[in-house]
Amino acid sequence: HPGVAKAWCRLTMAGQSFKEEYGMASISDAGVGVSDIVVDDAFTAGSTDFVVMSGGSIHVTTDQAATTSTTVRVNNRDTSHNSEDGGDIYVVYWGLI
């Protein structure tokens, strides 16, 4: 269904756990302030769009070099751009499965 999110989650990096999720397989620690989030079903190459955001005054970005059809790497920084394990990170995927 076009326009419908295929997978989403709210997570905390402290403890690497999902607070809520749909269509997500796992989350793993890839270093301080870095998590790899894996979806249940692979997306068609070139069709994946996703959004990452956070609650609070944290800067969240993705690492495109480490992002694949099944995994997005999320980098979390504090207001001084130092890596930190934060909470309430949101990831939403759109695309073709």
Coordinates of all heavy atoms in Angstrom, one line a residue:
H1 N 0.8 -1.2 0.0 CA 0.0 0.0 0.0 C 0.9 1.2 0.0 O 1.6 1.5 1.0 CB -0.9 0.0 1.2 CG -1.9 -1.1 1.2 ND1 -1.6 -2.4 0.9 CD2 -3.2 -1.1 1.4 CE1 -2.7 -3.1 1.0 NE2 -3.7 -2.3 1.3
P2 N 0.9 2.0 -1.0 CA 1.7 3.2 -1.1 C 1.4 4.2 0.0 O 0.2 4.4 0.4 CB 1.3 3.9 -2.4 CG 0.7 2.8 -3.2 CD 0.0 1.8 -2.2
G3 N 2.4 4.8 0.5 CA 2.3 5.8 1.6 C 2.2 5.3 3.0 O 2.2 6.0 4.0
V4 N 2.1 4.0 3.2 CA 2.0 3.4 4.5 C 3.3 2.9 5.0 O 4.1 2.3 4.2 CB 1.0 2.1 4.4 CG1 0.9 1.5 5.8 CG2 -0.4 2.6 4.0
A5 N 3.7 3.3 6.2 CA 5.0 2.8 6.8 C 5.0 1.3 6.8 O 4.0 0.7 7.3 CB 5.2 3.4 8.1
K6 N 6.1 0.7 6.4 CA 6.2 -0.8 6.4 C 6.8 -1.3 7.7 O 6.6 -2.4 8.0 CB 7.1 -1.2 5.2 CG 6.6 -0.8 3.8 CD 5.2 -1.3 3.5 CE 4.8 -1.0 2.1 NZ 4.5 0.3 1.7
A7 N 7.6 -0.4 8.4 CA 8.2 -0.8 9.6 C 8.5 0.5 10.4 O 8.8 1.5 9.8 CB 9.5 -1.6 9.4
W8 N 8.4 0.4 11.8 CA 8.7 1.5 12.6 C 9.1 1.1 14.0 O 8.8 0.0 14.4 CB 7.5 2.5 12.7 CG 6.2 1.9 13.1 CD1 5.2 1.4 12.3 CD2 5.8 1.6 14.4 NE1 4.2 0.9 13.0 CE2 4.5 1.0 14.4 CE3 6.3 1.9 15.7 CZ2 3.8 0.6 15.5 CZ3 5.6 1.5 16.8 CH2 4.3 0.9 16.7
C9 N 9.7 2.0 14.7 CA 10.0 1.6 16.1 C 10.3 2.9 16.9 O 10.7 3.9 16.3 CB 11.2 0.7 16.2 SG 12.8 1.4 15.7
R10 N 10.2 2.7 18.2 CA 10.7 3.7 19.2 C 11.7 2.9 20.0 O 11.3 1.8 20.5 CB 9.6 4.2 20.0 CG 10.1 5.3 21.1 CD 9.0 5.9 21.8 NE 8.5 5.0 22.8 CZ 8.0 5.4 24.0 NH1 7.9 6.7 24.3 NH2 7.6 4.5 24.8
L11 N 12.9 3.3 20.2 CA 13.9 2.6 20.9 C 14.7 3.4 21.8 O 14.7 4.6 21.8 CB 14.9 1.9 19.9 CG 15.7 2.9 19.0 CD1 17.1 3.0 19.6 CD2 15.8 2.3 17.6
T12 N 15.4 2.7 22.7 CA 16.4 3.3 23.6 C 17.8 2.7 23.3 O 17.8 1.4 23.2 CB 16.0 3.3 25.0 OG1 17.1 3.9 25.8 CG2 15.8 1.8 25.5
M13 N 18.8 3.5 23.1 CA 20.1 2.9 22.9 C 20.7 2.4 24.2 O 21.5 1.5 24.2 CB 21.1 3.9 22.3 CG 20.7 4.3 20.8 SD 21.9 5.5 20.2 CE 21.6 5.3 18.5
A14 N 20.4 2.9 25.3 CA 20.8 2.4 26.6 C 20.1 1.1 26.8 O 18.9 1.0 27.1 CB 20.5 3.4 27.7
G15 N 20.8 0.0 26.7 CA 20.3 -1.3 26.8 C 19.9 -1.9 25.5 O 19.5 -3.1 25.4
Q16 N 19.9 -1.1 24.4 CA 19.6 -1.6 23.0 C 18.3 -2.3 23.0 O 18.2 -3.5 22.8 CB 20.7 -2.5 22.5 CG 22.1 -1.8 22.4 CD 22.1 -0.6 21.4 OE1 21.5 -0.7 20.3 NE2 22.6 0.5 21.8
S17 N 17.2 -1.6 23.3 CA 15.9 -2.3 23.3 C 14.8 -1.4 22.6 O 14.9 -0.2 22.6 CB 15.5 -2.6 24.7 OG 15.3 -1.4 25.5
F18 N 13.9 -2.1 22.1 CA 12.7 -1.5 21.5 C 11.7 -1.2 22.6 O 11.4 -2.0 23.4 CB 12.0 -2.4 20.4 CG 12.8 -2.6 19.2 CD1 13.2 -3.9 18.9 CD2 13.2 -1.6 18.4 CE1 13.9 -4.2 17.7 CE2 13.9 -1.8 17.2 CZ 14.3 -3.1 16.9
K19 N 11.2 0.0 22.6 CA 10.1 0.4 23.5 C 8.8 0.0 22.8 O 7.8 -0.5 23.5 CB 10.1 1.9 23.8 CG 11.3 2.3 24.7 CD 11.2 3.7 25.1 CE 12.3 4.1 26.1 NZ 12.2 5.5 26.5
E20 N 8.7 0.2 21.5 CA 7.6 -0.2 20.7 C 8.2 -0.5 19.3 O 9.2 0.1 18.9 CB 6.6 0.9 20.5 CG 6.0 1.4 21.8 CD 5.1 2.7 21.6 OE1 4.0 2.5 21.1 OE2 5.6 3.8 21.9
E21 N 7.6 -1.4 18.6 CA 8.0 -1.7 17.2 C 7.0 -2.4 16.4 O 6.1 -3.1 16.9 CB 9.3 -2.5 17.2 CG 9.3 -3.9 17.9 CD 8.9 -5.0 16.9 OE1 8.9 -4.8 15.7 OE2 8.5 -6.0 17.4
Y22 N 7.1 -2.3 15.1 CA 6.3 -3.0 14.1 C 7.2 -3.3 13.0 O 7.8 -2.4 12.4 CB 5.1 -2.2 13.7 CG 4.4 -2.9 12.5 CD1 3.5 -4.0 12.8 CD2 4.6 -2.6 11.2 CE1 2.9 -4.7 11.8 CE2 4.0 -3.3 10.2 CZ 3.1 -4.3 10.5 OH 2.5 -5.0 9.5
G23 N 7.4 -4.6 12.6 CA 8.2 -5.0 11.5 C 9.7 -4.9 11.7 O 10.4 -5.0 10.7
M24 N 10.1 -4.8 12.9 CA 11.5 -4.8 13.2 C 12.0 -6.2 13.8 O 11.3 -6.8 14.5 CB 11.8 -3.7 14.3 CG 11.5 -2.3 13.8 SD 12.6 -1.8 12.5 CE 12.1 -0.2 12.2
A25 N 13.2 -6.6 13.3 CA 13.7 -7.9 13.8 C 14.6 -7.8 15.0 O 14.5 -8.5 16.0 CB 14.5 -8.5 12.6
S26 N 15.5 -6.8 15.0 CA 16.5 -6.7 16.1 C 17.1 -5.3 16.1 O 17.1 -4.5 15.2 CB 17.5 -7.8 16.0 OG 18.3 -7.6 14.8
I27 N 17.8 -5.1 17.2 CA 18.6 -3.9 17.4 C 19.9 -4.3 18.0 O 19.9 -5.2 18.9 CB 17.9 -2.8 18.3 CG1 18.8 -1.6 18.5 CG2 17.5 -3.4 19.6 CD1 18.1 -0.4 19.2
S28 N 21.0 -3.8 17.6 CA 22.3 -4.2 18.2 C 23.2 -3.0 18.4 O 23.1 -2.0 17.7 CB 23.0 -5.3 17.3 OG 23.3 -4.8 16.0
D29 N 24.1 -3.1 19.4 CA 25.0 -2.1 19.7 C 26.2 -2.1 18.8 O 26.9 -3.1 18.6 CB 25.5 -2.3 21.1 CG 26.2 -1.1 21.7 OD1 26.6 -0.1 21.0 OD2 26.5 -1.1 22.9
A30 N 26.5 -1.0 18.1 CA 27.6 -0.9 17.2 C 28.6 0.2 17.7 O 29.4 0.7 17.0 CB 27.1 -0.5 15.8
G31 N 28.5 0.5 19.0 CA 29.4 1.4 19.6 C 28.7 2.5 20.4 O 27.4 2.5 20.3
V32 N 29.3 3.3 21.1 CA 28.7 4.4 21.9 C 27.9 5.3 20.9 O 28.5 5.8 20.0 CB 29.6 5.2 22.7 CG1 28.9 6.4 23.4 CG2 30.3 4.3 23.7
G33 N 26.6 5.4 21.1 CA 25.8 6.3 20.3 C 25.5 5.8 18.9 O 25.1 6.5 18.0
V34 N 25.7 4.5 18.7 CA 25.5 3.8 17.4 C 24.8 2.5 17.5 O 25.1 1.7 18.3 CB 26.9 3.6 16.6 CG1 26.6 3.0 15.3 CG2 27.7 4.8 16.6
S35 N 23.7 2.4 16.8 CA 22.9 1.2 16.8 C 22.6 0.7 15.4 O 22.4 1.6 14.5 CB 21.5 1.4 17.5 OG 21.7 1.7 18.9
D36 N 22.6 -0.6 15.2 CA 22.1 -1.2 13.9 C 20.7 -1.7 14.1 O 20.5 -2.5 15.0 CB 23.1 -2.3 13.4 CG 24.4 -1.7 12.9 OD1 24.4 -0.6 12.5 OD2 25.4 -2.5 13.0
I37 N 19.8 -1.2 13.3 CA 18.4 -1.7 13.4 C 18.0 -2.5 12.2 O 18.2 -2.0 11.1 CB 17.5 -0.4 13.6 CG1 17.9 0.4 14.8 CG2 16.0 -0.8 13.7 CD1 17.4 1.8 14.8
V38 N 17.5 -3.7 12.4 CA 17.2 -4.6 11.3 C 15.7 -4.8 11.2 O 15.1 -5.0 12.2 CB 17.9 -6.0 11.6 CG1 17.6 -7.0 10.5 CG2 19.4 -5.8 11.8
V39 N 15.2 -4.8 10.0 CA 13.8 -5.0 9.7 C 13.5 -6.5 9.5 O 14.4 -7.2 9.2 CB 13.3 -4.1 8.5 CG1 13.3 -2.7 8.9 CG2 14.0 -4.5 7.3
D40 N 12.2 -6.9 9.7 CA 11.9 -8.3 9.4 C 12.0 -8.7 8.0 O 12.5 -9.8 7.7 CB 10.4 -8.5 9.8 CG 10.1 -8.5 11.3 OD1 11.1 -8.8 12.1 OD2 9.0 -8.2 11.7
D41 N 11.6 -7.9 7.0 CA 11.6 -8.2 5.6 C 12.5 -7.2 4.9 O 12.4 -6.0 5.1 CB 10.2 -8.2 5.0 CG 9.3 -9.2 5.7 OD1 9.7 -10.3 5.8 OD2 8.2 -8.7 6.2
A42 N 13.3 -7.7 4.0 CA 14.2 -6.9 3.2 C 13.4 -6.0 2.2 O 12.4 -6.5 1.7 CB 15.2 -7.8 2.4
F43 N 13.9 -4.8 2.0 CA 13.3 -3.9 1.1 C 13.9 -4.1 -0.3 O 15.1 -4.5 -0.4 CB 13.5 -2.5 1.5 CG 12.5 -2.1 2.6 CD1 12.8 -2.4 3.9 CD2 11.4 -1.3 2.4 CE1 12.0 -2.0 5.0 CE2 10.5 -1.0 3.4 CZ 10.8 -1.3 4.7
T44 N 13.2 -3.8 -1.4 CA 13.7 -3.8 -2.7 C 14.8 -2.8 -2.8 O 14.6 -1.7 -2.4 CB 12.5 -3.5 -3.7 OG1 11.5 -4.5 -3.5 CG2 13.0 -3.6 -5.1
A45 N 15.9 -3.2 -3.4 CA 17.0 -2.3 -3.6 C 16.6 -1.0 -4.3 O 15.9 -1.0 -5.3 CB 18.1 -2.9 -4.4
G46 N 17.0 0.1 -3.7 CA 16.7 1.4 -4.3 C 15.3 2.0 -3.9 O 15.0 3.1 -4.3
S47 N 14.5 1.2 -3.2 CA 13.2 1.7 -3.0 C 13.0 2.2 -1.5 O 11.9 2.7 -1.2 CB 12.1 0.6 -3.2 OG 12.1 -0.4 -2.1
T48 N 14.0 2.0 -0.7 CA 13.8 2.3 0.7 C 14.0 3.8 1.0 O 14.9 4.4 0.6 CB 14.9 1.5 1.5 OG1 14.8 0.1 1.2 CG2 14.6 1.6 3.0
D49 N 13.0 4.3 1.8 CA 13.1 5.6 2.4 C 12.8 5.5 3.8 O 12.0 4.7 4.2 CB 12.1 6.6 1.8 CG 12.3 6.9 0.3 OD1 13.5 7.3 0.0 OD2 11.4 6.8 -0.5
F50 N 13.6 6.2 4.7 CA 13.3 6.1 6.1 C 13.6 7.4 6.7 O 14.3 8.3 6.2 CB 14.2 5.0 6.7 CG 15.6 5.1 6.4 CD1 16.5 5.9 7.2 CD2 16.2 4.4 5.4 CE1 17.8 6.0 6.9 CE2 17.5 4.4 5.0 CZ 18.3 5.2 5.8
V51 N 13.1 7.6 7.9 CA 13.2 8.8 8.7 C 13.7 8.4 10.1 O 13.2 7.4 10.6 CB 11.9 9.6 8.8 CG1 12.0 10.7 9.8 CG2 11.4 10.0 7.5
V52 N 14.7 9.1 10.6 CA 15.1 8.9 12.0 C 14.9 10.2 12.7 O 15.2 11.3 12.1 CB 16.5 8.3 12.2 CG1 16.7 7.0 11.6 CG2 17.5 9.3 11.6
M53 N 14.4 10.2 13.9 CA 14.3 11.4 14.7 C 14.4 11.0 16.2 O 14.4 9.9 16.6 CB 13.0 12.1 14.4 CG 11.8 11.2 14.6 SD 10.4 12.0 13.8 CE 9.5 10.5 13.2
S54 N 14.5 12.1 17.0 CA 14.6 11.8 18.4 C 13.7 12.8 19.2 O 13.3 13.8 18.7 CB 16.1 12.0 18.9 OG 16.4 13.3 18.8
G55 N 13.5 12.4 20.5 CA 12.8 13.3 21.4 C 13.9 14.0 22.2 O 15.0 13.5 22.4
G56 N 13.8 15.3 22.5 CA 14.7 16.0 23.2 C 15.7 16.7 22.4 O 15.5 16.9 21.2
S57 N 16.8 17.2 22.9 CA 17.8 18.0 22.2 C 19.0 17.1 21.7 O 20.2 17.4 21.9 CB 18.3 19.1 23.1 OG 18.9 18.5 24.3
I58 N 18.7 16.0 21.1 CA 19.7 15.1 20.6 C 19.8 15.2 19.1 O 18.8 15.4 18.4 CB 19.4 13.7 21.0 CG1 19.1 13.6 22.5 CG2 20.5 12.7 20.7 CD1 18.5 12.3 22.9
H59 N 20.9 15.0 18.5 CA 21.1 14.9 17.0 C 21.2 13.5 16.6 O 22.1 12.8 17.0 CB 22.3 15.7 16.6 CG 22.4 17.1 17.1 ND1 21.7 18.1 16.5 CD2 23.0 17.6 18.2 CE1 21.9 19.2 17.2 NE2 22.7 19.0 18.2
V60 N 20.3 13.1 15.7 CA 20.3 11.7 15.2 C 20.4 11.7 13.7 O 19.8 12.4 13.0 CB 18.9 11.0 15.6 CG1 18.9 9.5 15.0 CG2 18.7 11.0 17.0
T61 N 21.4 10.9 13.2 CA 21.6 10.8 11.8 C 21.8 9.3 11.4 O 21.8 8.5 12.3 CB 23.0 11.5 11.4 OG1 24.0 10.9 12.1 CG2 22.9 13.0 11.7
T62 N 21.9 9.0 10.1 CA 22.1 7.7 9.7 C 23.5 7.6 9.0 O 24.0 8.6 8.5 CB 21.0 7.2 8.7 OG1 21.0 8.1 7.6 CG2 19.6 7.2 9.3
D63 N 24.0 6.4 9.0 CA 25.3 6.2 8.3 C 25.0 5.5 7.0 O 24.7 4.3 7.0 CB 26.2 5.3 9.2 CG 27.5 5.0 8.6 OD1 27.7 5.2 7.5 OD2 28.4 4.5 9.4
Q64 N 25.0 6.2 5.9 CA 24.6 5.6 4.7 C 25.5 4.5 4.2 O 25.0 3.5 3.6 CB 24.6 6.7 3.6 CG 23.5 7.8 3.8 CD 22.1 7.2 3.7 OE1 21.7 6.4 2.8 NE2 21.3 7.5 4.7
A65 N 26.7 4.5 4.6 CA 27.7 3.5 4.2 C 27.3 2.1 4.8 O 27.7 1.1 4.3 CB 29.1 3.9 4.5
A66 N 26.7 2.2 6.0 CA 26.4 1.0 6.7 C 24.9 0.6 6.6 O 24.4 -0.3 7.3 CB 26.7 1.2 8.2
T67 N 24.1 1.3 5.7 CA 22.7 1.0 5.6 C 22.5 0.1 4.4 O 23.1 0.3 3.3 CB 22.0 2.4 5.4 OG1 22.1 3.1 6.6 CG2 20.5 2.2 5.1
T68 N 21.7 -0.9 4.6 CA 21.4 -1.9 3.5 C 19.9 -2.0 3.3 O 19.1 -1.3 3.9 CB 22.0 -3.3 3.9 OG1 21.3 -3.8 5.0 CG2 23.5 -3.2 4.2
S69 N 19.5 -3.0 2.6 CA 18.0 -3.2 2.4 C 17.4 -3.8 3.6 O 16.1 -3.8 3.7 CB 17.8 -4.2 1.2 OG 18.3 -5.4 1.4
T70 N 18.1 -4.2 4.6 CA 17.6 -4.8 5.8 C 18.0 -4.0 7.1 O 17.4 -4.2 8.1 CB 17.9 -6.2 6.0 OG1 19.4 -6.3 6.1 CG2 17.4 -7.1 4.9
T71 N 19.0 -3.2 7.0 CA 19.6 -2.6 8.2 C 19.8 -1.1 8.0 O 20.2 -0.6 6.9 CB 20.9 -3.2 8.5 OG1 20.8 -4.6 8.7 CG2 21.5 -2.6 9.8
V72 N 19.5 -0.3 9.0 CA 19.9 1.1 9.1 C 20.7 1.3 10.3 O 20.4 0.8 11.4 CB 18.7 2.1 9.1 CG1 17.8 1.9 10.3 CG2 19.1 3.5 8.9
R73 N 21.9 2.0 10.1 CA 22.7 2.4 11.3 C 22.4 3.8 11.7 O 22.4 4.7 10.9 CB 24.2 2.3 10.9 CG 25.1 2.7 12.0 CD 26.5 2.3 11.8 NE 26.6 0.9 12.1 CZ 27.8 0.2 12.0 NH1 28.9 0.8 11.5 NH2 27.8 -1.1 12.3
V74 N 22.1 3.9 13.0 CA 21.7 5.2 13.6 C 22.8 5.7 14.5 O 23.3 5.0 15.3 CB 20.4 5.0 14.4 CG1 20.0 6.3 15.1 CG2 19.2 4.5 13.5
N75 N 23.2 7.0 14.3 CA 24.2 7.6 15.1 C 23.5 8.7 15.9 O 22.7 9.5 15.4 CB 25.2 8.3 14.2 CG 25.9 7.3 13.3 OD1 26.5 6.4 13.8 ND2 25.9 7.6 12.0
N76 N 23.8 8.7 17.2 CA 23.1 9.6 18.2 C 24.2 10.5 18.8 O 25.2 10.0 19.3 CB 22.4 8.8 19.2 CG 21.6 9.7 20.1 OD1 20.8 10.5 19.6 ND2 21.7 9.5 21.4
R77 N 24.0 11.8 18.8 CA 24.9 12.8 19.4 C 24.2 13.7 20.3 O 23.0 14.0 20.1 CB 25.6 13.6 18.2 CG 26.2 12.8 17.1 CD 27.5 12.1 17.6 NE 28.1 11.4 16.5 CZ 28.0 10.1 16.3 NH1 27.3 9.4 17.1 NH2 28.6 9.5 15.3
D78 N 24.9 14.2 21.3 CA 24.3 15.2 22.2 C 24.4 16.6 21.5 O 24.9 16.7 20.4 CB 25.0 15.2 23.6 CG 26.4 15.5 23.6 OD1 26.9 16.1 22.6 OD2 27.1 15.2 24.6
T79 N 24.0 17.6 22.3 CA 24.0 18.9 21.7 C 25.4 19.5 21.3 O 25.6 20.4 20.6 CB 23.3 19.9 22.6 OG1 23.9 19.9 23.9 CG2 21.8 19.6 22.7
S80 N 26.5 18.8 21.9 CA 27.9 19.2 21.6 C 28.4 18.3 20.5 O 29.6 18.3 20.3 CB 28.7 19.2 22.8 OG 28.2 20.1 23.8
H81 N 27.6 17.4 19.9 CA 28.0 16.5 18.9 C 28.9 15.3 19.4 O 29.6 14.7 18.6 CB 28.6 17.2 17.7 CG 27.7 18.2 17.1 ND1 26.7 17.9 16.3 CD2 27.7 19.6 17.2 CE1 26.0 19.0 15.9 NE2 26.6 20.0 16.5
N82 N 28.8 15.0 20.7 CA 29.5 13.9 21.2 C 28.6 12.7 21.2 O 27.4 12.8 21.4 CB 29.9 14.2 22.7 CG 30.9 15.3 22.8 OD1 31.9 15.4 22.1 ND2 30.5 16.3 23.7
S83 N 29.2 11.5 20.9 CA 28.4 10.3 20.8 C 27.8 10.0 22.2 O 28.5 10.1 23.2 CB 29.3 9.1 20.4 OG 29.7 9.3 19.1
E84 N 26.5 9.6 22.2 CA 25.9 9.2 23.5 C 24.8 8.2 23.2 O 24.2 8.2 22.2 CB 25.4 10.4 24.3 CG 24.1 10.9 23.7 CD 23.5 12.0 24.6 OE1 24.1 12.4 25.6 OE2 22.4 12.4 24.4
D85 N 24.7 7.2 24.1 CA 23.5 6.3 24.0 C 22.3 7.0 24.6 O 22.3 7.4 25.8 CB 23.8 5.0 24.8 CG 24.8 4.1 24.1 OD1 24.9 4.2 22.9 OD2 25.4 3.3 24.8
G86 N 21.3 7.3 23.8 CA 20.2 8.0 24.2 C 18.9 7.2 24.1 O 18.9 6.0 23.8
G87 N 17.8 7.8 24.5 CA 16.6 7.1 24.5 C 15.6 7.8 23.6 O 15.9 8.9 23.1
D88 N 14.4 7.2 23.4 CA 13.4 7.8 22.5 C 13.9 8.2 21.1 O 13.8 9.3 20.7 CB 12.7 8.9 23.2 CG 11.8 8.4 24.3 OD1 11.4 7.2 24.3 OD2 11.5 9.2 25.3
I89 N 14.5 7.2 20.4 CA 14.9 7.4 19.0 C 13.8 6.7 18.2 O 13.3 5.6 18.6 CB 16.2 6.7 18.7 CG1 17.3 7.1 19.7 CG2 16.6 6.9 17.3 CD1 17.8 8.5 19.6
Y90 N 13.3 7.4 17.2 CA 12.3 6.9 16.3 C 12.8 6.6 14.9 O 13.5 7.4 14.4 CB 11.1 7.9 16.2 CG 10.5 8.3 17.6 CD1 11.1 9.3 18.4 CD2 9.4 7.6 18.1 CE1 10.6 9.6 19.6 CE2 8.9 7.9 19.3 CZ 9.5 9.0 20.0 OH 8.9 9.3 21.3
V91 N 12.4 5.5 14.4 CA 12.8 5.1 13.0 C 11.6 4.6 12.3 O 10.8 3.8 12.8 CB 13.9 4.0 13.0 CG1 14.3 3.6 11.6 CG2 15.1 4.4 13.8
V92 N 11.4 5.2 11.1 CA 10.2 4.8 10.3 C 10.7 4.5 8.9 O 11.5 5.2 8.3 CB 9.2 5.9 10.2 CG1 7.9 5.4 9.4 CG2 8.7 6.3 11.6
Y93 N 10.3 3.3 8.3 CA 10.6 2.9 6.9 C 9.4 2.9 6.0 O 8.4 2.5 6.4 CB 11.1 1.4 7.0 CG 12.5 1.1 7.4 CD1 12.8 1.0 8.8 CD2 13.5 0.9 6.5 CE1 14.0 0.6 9.2 CE2 14.8 0.6 6.9 CZ 15.0 0.4 8.2 OH 16.3 0.1 8.7
W94 N 9.7 3.4 4.8 CA 8.7 3.3 3.7 C 9.5 2.7 2.6 O 10.7 2.8 2.5 CB 8.2 4.7 3.2 CG 7.3 5.4 4.2 CD1 6.0 5.3 4.2 CD2 7.7 6.3 5.3 NE1 5.5 6.0 5.2 CE2 6.5 6.7 5.9 CE3 8.9 6.7 5.7 CZ2 6.5 7.5 7.0 CZ3 8.9 7.6 6.8 CH2 7.7 8.0 7.4
G95 N 8.8 2.0 1.6 CA 9.4 1.4 0.5 C 8.7 0.1 0.1 O 7.7 -0.2 0.6
L96 N 9.4 -0.6 -0.9 CA 8.8 -1.8 -1.4 C 9.5 -3.0 -0.7 O 10.7 -3.1 -0.7 CB 9.0 -1.9 -2.9 CG 8.4 -0.8 -3.7 CD1 8.8 -0.9 -5.2 CD2 6.9 -0.8 -3.6
I97 N 8.7 -3.9 -0.2 CA 9.2 -5.1 0.4 C 9.1 -6.3 -0.6 O 8.2 -6.4 -1.3 CB 8.4 -5.5 1.7 CG1 8.7 -4.4 2.7 CG2 8.9 -6.8 2.2 CD1 7.9 -4.6 4.0

